[in-house]
Amino acid sequence: MISRRIITFSFKLPLSLISLAFSLPHISMETVSSFGDSPYELLLKALTLIPITHYVIGFMLVLWVLLYNFLEFHIVQDLFSGFRGQRVDLTFNSCSQLYHEVVSKCTLLHGRYMSTPWLSSPHLQTTFLRFFGRPPVFDYRRELLSMDDGGIVALDWLTRFDVMEKENKANDEAHQVSNMPIVVVIPGLTSDSDSVYIKHLTFYMAKRGWNVVVSNHRGLGGVPLNTDFFYNGGWTGDLRKVVKHIRSRSPGVPLFVVGTSLGANMMVKYLGEDGDNILIDGAAAVCCPWDLLLCDRFIGRNAVQRFYDKALGAGLKRYAKKHQQFFTRLSDWEGIEKARRVREFDTSGTCRVGKFDTADIYYRESSCVGYVERIKVPLLCISALDDPVCTREAVIWDECRANKNVILATTQHGGHLGYFDGMDAKGVWWVRAVDEFLTVLSSSTIIHKQNMMPDSLLVGPQKSLTDKDQDPYIHLVKKTENQIHHVDNKLLQTNKIFMERKIVSSDAAKGFEANSSSIDSFIFILKRFTDHF
């Protein structure tokens, strides 16, 4: 009897609990309805009680997070690291003599790179370099070199004595210039000797005692296109001719080459093509694209990269408009005018002139990645992993481990050729790193083997339009006066307009240098910004 009561009670208890649970929502809804408001109305009233300043702060925080990720800022990471920067990662063969004798002595390559705090984004680094890079003020000495097909390449020279403040140079000091090491600089796409990063490199290395010469691409630097060919990313013929020309005039002087961006791709391809017959002692490749097809895919991947794609395409169109008669005759001019991307320009212009069937074929055949294993001279490669133009997916990690002559230095940040450091953003890290590497290399025992060139490779000096059997580094076309010195060739007269333009820009730059007030500096930066547009 007792057990039956217990069982009956146990069944009644759950039923009572269930009925109570179902009755609670009705009680709560009745309670809410007694106030005369719905839950959403109560929530809206609560939101109206929050001050408007809190909404503004919240909106700014959300906007900052979006921009922080969209523009790839790293100021927070730098803050947590104490603004010490990130270590430079080196990739090389463990048996590399180049590393043990040269790179191991380079303090910058074994240190850290810390970008300017207010430029803590690869896009800010790259944009600042383009518009506000504050290049040093100096004057080149120009030499015009004729190619085998009749084309003209402008060589702009800068020596240590060209950048000295005192004008009274001793004659014996001037003649020592021809015995200093020589560095040939290859600019990037649509860049020439007046580009900001090229000026930073040439000025710094000239101050350090180097003879620096910028080999401008065909049609750039104010030189007209007078043949049925213009440069492309895989063209190495002009660089080979320039190196032979300089080596034949200075056979016992250390000779190095520095390539930047697309110019680095051309230089690395040249090193691999010539192999053991190379005529230089060492090289450095900065922000090299390595695989042009991968970079083409990368640069059209998202909104930020497409911005760079359109900017580079606009630069190519400006280059084509300067030589409109040439491109109208040899390419699809209507397609060039409609081009918005680099690929579209290459399809209508580069492929037509260079005899490539498609843009993909041009990119595959012109990429330097397949030539790295054939390089026989010391090569330093510097790449930023956040480069917004040359993707990290194309970086040659395995090729550097396989070739004992190649050293790869990668940094977490730096942008495309930016690498500004210091609070004032006046220094460019990769410029100092390249100078240190070449300085140690020039005094090492490695390059002594490269100086022993076969006589068969040292042909006579190439035809120079400014050559009169005089010192090749002193008596060149001078661009600092109102008249051109040593003009004895009619082809030089065709570039008279260009020379006058260079003189005016040089004088204007000197005026800015003389007045160093903050207002004039701002006007100078604003003028550069408007000129680019």
Side-chain angles (χ1 to χ4, degrees):
M1 188 70 177
I2 297 175
S3 60
R4 291 178 62 186
R5 290 180 180 178
I6 294 174
I7 295 173
T8 304
F9 177 77
S10 63
F11 278 106
K12 290 182 178 180
L13 183 62
L15 291 175
S16 61
L17 291 175
I18 293 173
S19 62
L20 178 63
F22 276 103
S23 63
L24 284 177
H26 297 285
I27 296 174
S28 61
M29 291 300 296
E30 291 175 357
T31 304
V32 172
S33 61
S34 64
F35 289 100
D37 293 325
S38 68
Y40 298 104
E41 291 176 346
L42 292 175
L43 180 61
L44 182 61
K45 288 182 179 180
L47 292 175
T48 57
L49 297 177
I50 300 176
I52 188 66
T53 55
H54 292 187
Y55 285 105
V56 174
I57 295 174
F59 175 77
M60 296 299 294
L61 288 176
V62 172
L63 182 63
W64 166 250
V65 171
L66 293 176
L67 288 176
Y68 189 92
N69 290 279
F70 184 74
L71 297 179
E72 303 177 62
F73 281 96
H74 48 83
I75 183 68
V76 176
Q77 294 90 322
D78 294 338
L79 178 63
F80 281 108
S81 66
F83 292 101
R84 296 172 60 243
Q86 292 78 31
R87 295 195 62 85
V88 180
D89 294 327
L90 298 177
T91 304
F92 55 91
N93 188 293
S94 59
C95 301
S96 174
Q97 182 184 4
L98 174 62
Y99 173 80
H100 295 292
E101 292 194 15
V102 178
V103 178
S104 61
K105 302 176 183 178
C106 298
T107 57
L108 288 175
L109 296 179
H110 285 84
R112 294 174 175 267
Y113 167 68
M114 174 61 203
S115 60
T116 301
W118 47 276
L119 293 176
S120 59
S121 165
H123 309 293
L124 292 182
Q125 288 270 354
T126 306
T127 305
F128 187 84
L129 173 71
R130 182 75 171 88
F131 298 110
F132 316 107
R134 294 176 291 184
V137 179
F138 58 86
D139 297 298
Y140 292 104
R141 295 175 181 267
R142 169 147 294 187
E143 177 185 10
L144 299 181
L145 183 64
S146 178
M147 301 290 106
D148 291 338
D149 62 348
I152 301 175
V153 170
L155 303 179
D156 289 335
W157 291 85
L158 188 69
T159 68
R160 172 189 175 189
F161 301 101
D162 292 327
V163 299
M164 290 176 62
E165 296 181 358
K166 296 182 179 180
E167 296 293 336
N168 51 346
K169 307 181 184 79
N171 292 331
D172 56 341
E173 290 181 341
H175 286 291
Q176 292 176 2
V177 176
S178 58
N179 295 324
M180 295 180 181
I182 303 173
V183 176
V184 182
V185 180
I186 312 299
L189 182 68
T190 67
S191 297
D192 57 16
S193 58
D194 282 336
S195 298
V196 175
Y197 65 93
I198 296 296
K199 281 196 166 186
H200 276 289
L201 175 64
T202 54
F203 185 79
Y204 184 85
M205 299 202 71
K207 284 181 61 177
R208 298 275 295 171
W210 300 84
N211 283 332
V212 187
V213 54
V214 182
S215 178
N216 295 284
H217 302 298
R218 294 194 187 197
L220 289 172
V223 177
L225 285 173
N226 58 344
T227 61
D228 292 345
F229 183 79
F230 79 103
Y231 77 101
N232 59 63
W235 176 246
T236 59
D238 290 350
L239 174 57
R240 185 175 291 104
K241 185 69 66 174
V242 169
V243 169
K244 285 184 178 180
H245 170 68
I246 297 174
R247 175 59 83 190
S248 61
R249 295 204 300 192
S250 306
V253 176
L255 178 61
F256 306 97
V257 180
V258 177
T260 56
S261 192
L262 189 67
N265 182 85
M266 301 164 66
M267 181 203 69
V268 173
K269 187 170 180 284
Y270 156 70
L271 298 180
E273 288 175 345
D274 283 21
D276 292 321
N277 297 326
I278 199 72
L279 295 178
I280 67 172
D281 300 298
V286 184
C287 295
C288 181
W290 303 112
D291 192 321
L292 299 181
L293 186 60
L294 271 179
C295 291
D296 172 68
R297 301 289 191 268
F298 170 76
I299 206 171
R301 187 170 296 173
N302 54 49
V304 180
Q305 269 65 47
R306 285 194 293 270
F307 169 80
Y308 291 102
D309 194 6
K310 292 181 179 180
L312 294 173
L316 287 170
K317 290 178 65 175
R318 288 193 297 268
Y319 171 81
K321 289 181 179 179
K322 290 180 181 178
H323 310 285
Q324 183 172 348
Q325 184 177 2
F326 169 88
F327 283 95
T328 303
R329 181 168 51 90
L330 297 175
S331 64
D332 179 11
W333 179 252
E334 183 178 354
I336 290 178
E337 286 186 319
K338 295 179 180 179
R340 294 294 181 269
R341 299 183 55 211
V342 175
R343 183 185 185 85
E344 295 173 355
F345 178 90
D346 289 334
T347 301
S348 302
T350 307
C351 293
R352 293 288 187 93
V353 179
K355 309 302 180 184
F356 297 99
D357 293 335
T358 65
D360 282 0
I361 293 176
Y362 159 58
Y363 295 145
R364 287 191 179 97
E365 294 183 0
S366 300
S367 298
C368 67
V369 63
Y371 295 86
V372 176
E373 60 181 6
R374 311 178 198 173
I375 295 176
K376 303 299 181 182
V377 294
L379 171 64
L380 172 66
C381 308
I382 298 178
S383 295
L385 298 183
D386 64 353
D387 193 320
V389 178
C390 302
T391 173
R392 62 187 297 173
E393 299 169 9
V395 175
I396 52 170
W397 310 97
D398 294 336
E399 289 83 350
C400 291
R401 295 187 182 97
N403 193 331
K404 299 179 181 179
N405 299 310
V406 181
I407 302 291
L408 173 63
T410 56
T411 59
Q412 294 295 322
H413 307 297
H416 187 68
L417 295 172
Y419 279 101
F420 288 101
D421 57 1
M423 289 300 299
D424 53 2
K426 290 184 178 180
V428 180
W429 179 86
W430 69 263
V431 170
R432 302 194 305 274
V434 168
D435 170 74
E436 183 183 41
F437 170 76
L438 296 182
T439 299
V440 178
L441 179 62
S442 63
S443 60
S444 67
T445 59
I446 298 179
I447 68 165
H448 296 163
K449 302 175 184 178
Q450 307 298 335
N451 282 334
M452 303 300 295
M453 298 295 175
D455 295 336
S456 60
L457 295 179
L458 294 178
V459 297
Q462 306 302 312
K463 183 180 180 181
S464 175
L465 304 183
T466 54
D467 191 6
K468 289 194 64 176
D469 297 329
Q470 296 172 340
D471 191 300
Y473 315 118
I474 302 300
H475 302 286
L476 299 177
V477 178
K478 193 176 182 181
K479 303 192 299 183
T480 57
E481 306 294 340
N482 292 326
Q483 57 183 356
I484 303 173
H485 302 278
H486 306 304
V487 179
D488 299 305
N489 193 293
K490 292 183 180 180
L491 287 176
L492 289 180
Q493 299 299 331
T494 62
N495 298 324
K496 183 177 180 180
I497 297 177
F498 162 72
M499 292 298 182
E500 291 175 353
R501 181 184 66 83
K502 298 289 285 185
I503 293 167
V504 171
S505 64
S506 175
D507 293 340
K510 285 185 176 180
F512 284 117
E513 185 182 34
N515 190 351
S516 59
S517 65
S518 59
I519 297 178
D520 287 346
S521 299
F522 175 76
I523 294 175
F524 173 68
I525 293 175
L526 185 62
K527 181 178 182 299
R528 286 187 55 82
F529 182 81
T530 55
D531 285 345
H532 282 292
F533 281 93

